[in-house]
Amino acid sequence: MTEQEWMLTSLLECRRVDLYAERQSLTPGQEMRYASMQRRRKEGEPLQYILGYCDFMGVRIGVDSRVLIPRPETEILMETALERIKISLCDDPLRILDLGTGSGNIAIALAHHLKYTSVTAVDISSEALALARHNAASQGVAHKINFVQADMTVFLEEGTSVEKQFDVILSNPPYISTFQLGRLPRDVRQEPRIALDGGKDGLRFIRGLIACAHRHLRKGGFLLLEIGDGQREAVEEVFAQHSCYRNIRFYKDYVQTDRIVYAEKIFETEN
Ligand SMILES: C[S@@+](CC[C@H](N)C(=O)[O-])C[C@H]1O[C@@H](n2cnc3c(N)ncnc32)[C@H](O)[C@@H]1O
């Protein structure tokens, strides 16, 4: 769909085909809203903020300037998680940890697609969590998700406890280097900086996650991370410093860039 079609189908609450088949006309109120949408877009506001939603893994997620807009690449993270869960983790119910949940897209889609699951969804931003909670309630999965306001590094460093044993830990952490932030397209720069800034080399969160996640994984559990352009080699080096993972694999995105890394926790007896 073109951007105009997205705006019009959202305004008229109709399908794309209806725009042409039924020759819809706008009421004066709708004309005003459409003009306002076009003006906001011209000023560089992301289309999804203007619409107020985006679709992620077949689930409608509310978005606004409090959160990062879920990206198609993150659907690869989700698809890989679902595939690996099917292969290696058959014992329901699953306990999943989503670090840096933002709009709650990953946590909500997992809760939607997996029947017996409980998800702990962590974010440092209270504003993002407010929207994530609202999204979870709208999708009828709020009872399956425990939203926690915390710094993900502190959350992971706080040692291990029975309550913190997960089958799957996944994260799409901020991974843009601080230098690159200023070079991002105008509409991306309107998204929360805290959702993008991965520190000097973009790897600040990824390093912390790899260093600590294994302590919170159950036997047979795995870690899945989304990573930035050109970060594969550096991520491999980080894994090389931690002998507690095995079967490390990279998955490419739609433009053949290494985008997702998967690693299994080594069983204690293998260590
Ligand atoms: C790249 S966004 C990912 C959002 C969402 N999970 C997605 O895939 O679209 C990263 C998220 O991490 C959160 N975040 C940033 N620093 C954090 C920290 N120190 N601890 C916890 N969450 C943090 C941001 O608020 C943001 O929601």
Side-chain angles (χ1 to χ4, degrees):
M1 283 208 278
T2 64
E3 293 201 345
Q4 270 63 33
E5 287 169 339
W6 273 110
M7 290 181 201
L8 287 168
T9 51
S10 142
L11 258 179
L12 295 164
E13 294 180 17
C14 69
R15 297 167 306 165
R16 178 176 182 266
V17 64
D18 301 327
L19 292 178
Y20 302 101
E22 296 184 14
R23 291 234 147 248
Q24 304 257 14
S25 54
L26 301 179
T27 64
Q30 287 167 334
E31 287 277 11
M32 269 173 64
R33 283 175 56 207
Y34 184 43
S36 152
M37 284 172 140
Q38 287 180 306
R39 180 185 43 74
R40 287 166 66 187
R41 186 66 189 121
K42 233 183 200 157
E43 287 166 0
E45 191 171 341
L47 177 67
Q48 293 85 345
Y49 286 171
I50 297 168
L51 300 175
Y53 64 82
C54 77
D55 292 323
F56 182 81
M57 294 294 293
V59 180
R60 187 142 289 192
I61 302 290
V63 291
D64 60 31
S65 58
R66 289 173 286 181
V67 296
L68 186 96
I69 297 160
R71 303 292 201 271
E73 292 79 9
T74 309
E75 293 192 328
I76 304 174
L77 178 86
M78 275 287 307
E79 283 160 4
T80 313
L82 292 174
E83 195 184 298
R84 300 304 311 190
I85 285 167
K86 216 160 105 188
I87 296 171
S88 56
L89 298 169
C90 301
D91 296 333
D92 288 336
L94 284 173
R95 296 196 59 197
I96 300 180
L97 174 62
D98 170 26
L99 293 163
T101 197
S103 60
N105 54 319
I106 295 174
I108 293 167
L110 284 167
H112 175 84
H113 288 286
L114 297 167
K115 203 168 176 191
Y116 303 109
T117 310
S118 73
V119 186
T120 300
V122 175
D123 207 288
I124 200 164
S125 159
S126 58
E127 290 193 323
L129 284 172
L131 181 54
R133 283 194 181 98
H134 172 80
N135 284 335
S138 307
Q139 291 301 326
V141 293
H143 60 291
K144 294 167 94 174
I145 307 176
N146 176 27
F147 290 101
V148 179
Q149 187 181 7
D151 181 324
M152 65 174 96
T153 316
V154 175
F155 185 89
L156 286 177
E157 280 173 358
E158 271 175 356
T160 52
S161 66
V162 179
E163 307 86 67
K164 278 198 190 173
Q165 289 293 294
F166 297 98
D167 299 290
V168 181
I169 298 181
L170 28 73
S171 180
N172 171 20
Y175 57 63
I176 309 287
S177 73
T178 309
F179 171 71
Q180 282 175 326
L181 281 178
R183 304 180 149 210
L184 293 172
R186 185 167 71 144
D187 47 359
V188 181
R189 274 187 272 132
Q190 296 208 16
E191 296 182 78
R193 189 183 170 102
I194 196 175
L196 299 166
D197 192 350
K200 205 171 169 195
D201 61 359
L203 292 162
R204 184 179 145 221
F205 291 100
I206 292 172
R207 271 196 205 92
L209 286 166
I210 295 173
C212 296
H214 64 95
R215 299 209 307 253
H216 302 279
L217 281 169
R218 278 191 199 156
K219 186 174 172 181
F222 62 83
L223 171 67
L224 260 180
L225 301 176
E226 184 168 325
I227 63 169
D229 290 6
Q231 290 179 343
R232 176 178 173 151
E233 224 172 278
V235 170
E236 281 174 327
E237 278 171 28
V238 179
F239 272 113
Q241 292 157 21
H242 298 279
S243 57
C244 35
Y245 299 99
R246 67 172 188 187
N247 200 10
I248 295 153
R249 293 172 187 213
F250 289 83
Y251 294 83
K252 293 191 188 298
D253 63 14
Y254 307 111
V255 292
Q256 296 309 304
T257 299
D258 290 300
R259 183 64 63 200
I260 309 297
V261 60
Y262 164 89
E264 288 165 12
K265 177 182 175 165
I266 283 184
F267 299 168
E268 262 72 46
T269 49
E270 294 176 77
N271 250 331

